[in-house]
PDB file of all heavy atoms in Angstrom:
ATOM      1  N   PHE A 108      10.942   1.252   7.019  1.00 96.00           N
ATOM      2  CA  PHE A 108      10.010   0.494   7.865  1.00 96.00           C
ATOM      3  C   PHE A 108       8.796  -0.059   7.064  1.00 96.00           C
ATOM      4  O   PHE A 108       8.169  -0.965   7.477  1.00 96.00           O
ATOM      5  CB  PHE A 108       9.530   1.317   9.080  1.00 96.00           C
ATOM      6  CG  PHE A 108       8.838   2.613   8.698  1.00 96.00           C
ATOM      7  CD1 PHE A 108       7.491   2.775   8.494  1.00 96.00           C
ATOM      8  CD2 PHE A 108       9.672   3.822   8.604  1.00 96.00           C
ATOM      9  CE1 PHE A 108       6.935   3.879   8.164  1.00 96.00           C
ATOM     10  CE2 PHE A 108       9.090   5.012   8.278  1.00 96.00           C
ATOM     11  CZ  PHE A 108       7.703   5.042   8.106  1.00 96.00           C
ATOM     12  N   PHE A 109       8.570   0.489   5.849  1.00 97.00           N
ATOM     13  CA  PHE A 109       7.563  -0.040   4.967  1.00 97.00           C
ATOM     14  C   PHE A 109       8.256  -0.826   3.919  1.00 97.00           C
ATOM     15  O   PHE A 109       9.442  -0.540   3.595  1.00 97.00           O
ATOM     16  CB  PHE A 109       6.705   1.103   4.352  1.00 97.00           C
ATOM     17  CG  PHE A 109       5.670   1.580   5.224  1.00 97.00           C
ATOM     18  CD1 PHE A 109       5.325   2.993   5.278  1.00 97.00           C
ATOM     19  CD2 PHE A 109       4.861   0.809   6.074  1.00 97.00           C
ATOM     20  CE1 PHE A 109       4.316   3.461   6.133  1.00 97.00           C
ATOM     21  CE2 PHE A 109       3.918   1.268   6.913  1.00 97.00           C
ATOM     22  CZ  PHE A 109       3.622   2.621   6.927  1.00 97.00           C
ATOM     23  N   GLY A 110       7.583  -1.737   3.244  1.00 97.00           N
ATOM     24  CA  GLY A 110       8.181  -2.665   2.241  1.00 97.00           C
ATOM     25  C   GLY A 110       8.098  -2.027   0.846  1.00 97.00           C
ATOM     26  O   GLY A 110       7.701  -0.919   0.598  1.00 97.00           O
ATOM     27  N   GLN A 136       2.642  -1.558   3.663  1.00 96.00           N
ATOM     28  CA  GLN A 136       2.873  -2.848   4.290  1.00 96.00           C
ATOM     29  C   GLN A 136       4.215  -2.735   5.078  1.00 96.00           C
ATOM     30  O   GLN A 136       5.220  -2.276   4.540  1.00 96.00           O
ATOM     31  CB  GLN A 136       3.013  -3.888   3.192  1.00 96.00           C
ATOM     32  CG  GLN A 136       1.789  -4.073   2.290  1.00 96.00           C
ATOM     33  CD  GLN A 136       0.590  -4.551   3.109  1.00 96.00           C
ATOM     34  OE1 GLN A 136       0.777  -5.426   4.001  1.00 96.00           O
ATOM     35  NE2 GLN A 136      -0.590  -3.998   2.883  1.00 96.00           N
ATOM     36  N   ILE A 137       4.246  -3.367   6.327  1.00 96.00           N
ATOM     37  CA  ILE A 137       5.430  -3.343   7.089  1.00 96.00           C
ATOM     38  C   ILE A 137       6.496  -4.168   6.397  1.00 96.00           C
ATOM     39  O   ILE A 137       6.268  -5.239   5.893  1.00 96.00           O
ATOM     40  CB  ILE A 137       5.067  -3.884   8.454  1.00 96.00           C
ATOM     41  CG1 ILE A 137       4.090  -2.880   9.222  1.00 96.00           C
ATOM     42  CG2 ILE A 137       6.347  -3.983   9.407  1.00 96.00           C
ATOM     43  CD1 ILE A 137       3.466  -3.492  10.442  1.00 96.00           C
ATOM     44  N   ASN A 138       7.708  -3.582   6.405  1.00 97.00           N
ATOM     45  CA  ASN A 138       8.888  -4.305   5.888  1.00 97.00           C
ATOM     46  C   ASN A 138       9.234  -5.455   6.851  1.00 97.00           C
ATOM     47  O   ASN A 138       9.876  -5.229   7.910  1.00 97.00           O
ATOM     48  CB  ASN A 138      10.078  -3.278   5.669  1.00 97.00           C
ATOM     49  CG  ASN A 138      11.249  -4.002   5.079  1.00 97.00           C
ATOM     50  OD1 ASN A 138      11.188  -5.239   4.727  1.00 97.00           O
ATOM     51  ND2 ASN A 138      12.307  -3.248   5.077  1.00 97.00           N
ATOM     52  N   THR A 139       8.950  -6.623   6.540  1.00 95.00           N
ATOM     53  CA  THR A 139       9.231  -7.836   7.252  1.00 95.00           C
ATOM     54  C   THR A 139      10.396  -8.621   6.648  1.00 95.00           C
ATOM     55  O   THR A 139      10.945  -9.584   7.282  1.00 95.00           O
ATOM     56  CB  THR A 139       8.095  -8.777   7.418  1.00 95.00           C
ATOM     57  OG1 THR A 139       7.620  -9.206   6.148  1.00 95.00           O
ATOM     58  CG2 THR A 139       6.904  -8.165   8.198  1.00 95.00           C
ATOM     59  N   ASP A 140      10.880  -8.180   5.507  1.00 94.00           N
ATOM     60  CA  ASP A 140      12.024  -8.861   4.791  1.00 94.00           C
ATOM     61  C   ASP A 140      13.345  -8.344   5.321  1.00 94.00           C
ATOM     62  O   ASP A 140      14.083  -7.712   4.539  1.00 94.00           O
ATOM     63  CB  ASP A 140      11.803  -8.674   3.288  1.00 94.00           C
ATOM     64  CG  ASP A 140      12.816  -9.517   2.485  1.00 94.00           C
ATOM     65  OD1 ASP A 140      13.327 -10.519   3.035  1.00 94.00           O
ATOM     66  OD2 ASP A 140      13.077  -9.158   1.336  1.00 94.00           O
ATOM     67  N   THR A 141      13.693  -8.562   6.621  1.00 93.00           N
ATOM     68  CA  THR A 141      14.831  -8.045   7.231  1.00 93.00           C
ATOM     69  C   THR A 141      15.242  -8.896   8.418  1.00 93.00           C
ATOM     70  O   THR A 141      14.506  -9.755   8.736  1.00 93.00           O
ATOM     71  CB  THR A 141      14.648  -6.531   7.557  1.00 93.00           C
ATOM     72  OG1 THR A 141      15.901  -6.025   7.955  1.00 93.00           O
ATOM     73  CG2 THR A 141      13.655  -6.405   8.683  1.00 93.00           C
ATOM     74  N   ASP A 142      16.369  -8.532   9.069  1.00 91.00           N
ATOM     75  CA  ASP A 142      16.757  -9.302  10.209  1.00 91.00           C
ATOM     76  C   ASP A 142      15.812  -9.007  11.403  1.00 91.00           C
ATOM     77  O   ASP A 142      14.994  -8.022  11.446  1.00 91.00           O
ATOM     78  CB  ASP A 142      18.232  -9.057  10.581  1.00 91.00           C
ATOM     79  CG  ASP A 142      18.519  -7.613  10.968  1.00 91.00           C
ATOM     80  OD1 ASP A 142      17.654  -7.031  11.781  1.00 91.00           O
ATOM     81  OD2 ASP A 142      19.470  -7.028  10.590  1.00 91.00           O
ATOM     82  N   LEU A 146      13.322  -5.936  12.096  1.00 95.00           N
ATOM     83  CA  LEU A 146      11.919  -6.224  12.140  1.00 95.00           C
ATOM     84  C   LEU A 146      11.197  -5.608  13.311  1.00 95.00           C
ATOM     85  O   LEU A 146      10.054  -5.129  13.166  1.00 95.00           O
ATOM     86  CB  LEU A 146      11.683  -7.774  11.991  1.00 95.00           C
ATOM     87  CG  LEU A 146      10.219  -8.198  12.100  1.00 95.00           C
ATOM     88  CD1 LEU A 146       9.422  -7.606  10.986  1.00 95.00           C
ATOM     89  CD2 LEU A 146      10.186  -9.759  12.174  1.00 95.00           C
ATOM     90  N   ASN A 149      10.957  -1.960  12.781  1.00 95.00           N
ATOM     91  CA  ASN A 149      10.001  -1.614  11.714  1.00 95.00           C
ATOM     92  C   ASN A 149       8.610  -1.704  12.230  1.00 95.00           C
ATOM     93  O   ASN A 149       7.721  -0.837  11.909  1.00 95.00           O
ATOM     94  CB  ASN A 149      10.169  -2.527  10.527  1.00 95.00           C
ATOM     95  CG  ASN A 149      11.469  -2.213   9.755  1.00 95.00           C
ATOM     96  OD1 ASN A 149      12.074  -1.230  10.000  1.00 95.00           O
ATOM     97  ND2 ASN A 149      11.834  -3.163   8.851  1.00 95.00           N
ATOM     98  N   LEU A 150       8.285  -2.687  13.077  1.00 94.00           N
ATOM     99  CA  LEU A 150       6.944  -2.809  13.698  1.00 94.00           C
ATOM    100  C   LEU A 150       6.719  -1.626  14.582  1.00 94.00           C
ATOM    101  O   LEU A 150       5.619  -1.071  14.620  1.00 94.00           O
ATOM    102  CB  LEU A 150       6.869  -4.041  14.545  1.00 94.00           C
ATOM    103  CG  LEU A 150       6.731  -5.455  13.709  1.00 94.00           C
ATOM    104  CD1 LEU A 150       7.025  -6.651  14.563  1.00 94.00           C
ATOM    105  CD2 LEU A 150       5.444  -5.437  12.967  1.00 94.00           C
TER     106      LEU A 150
END
Side-chain angles (χ1 to χ4, degrees):
F108 57 90
F109 283 138
Q136 300 295 319
I137 298 169
N138 180 7
T139 59
D140 189 22
T141 189
D142 64 43
L146 175 59
N149 291 348
L150 288 167

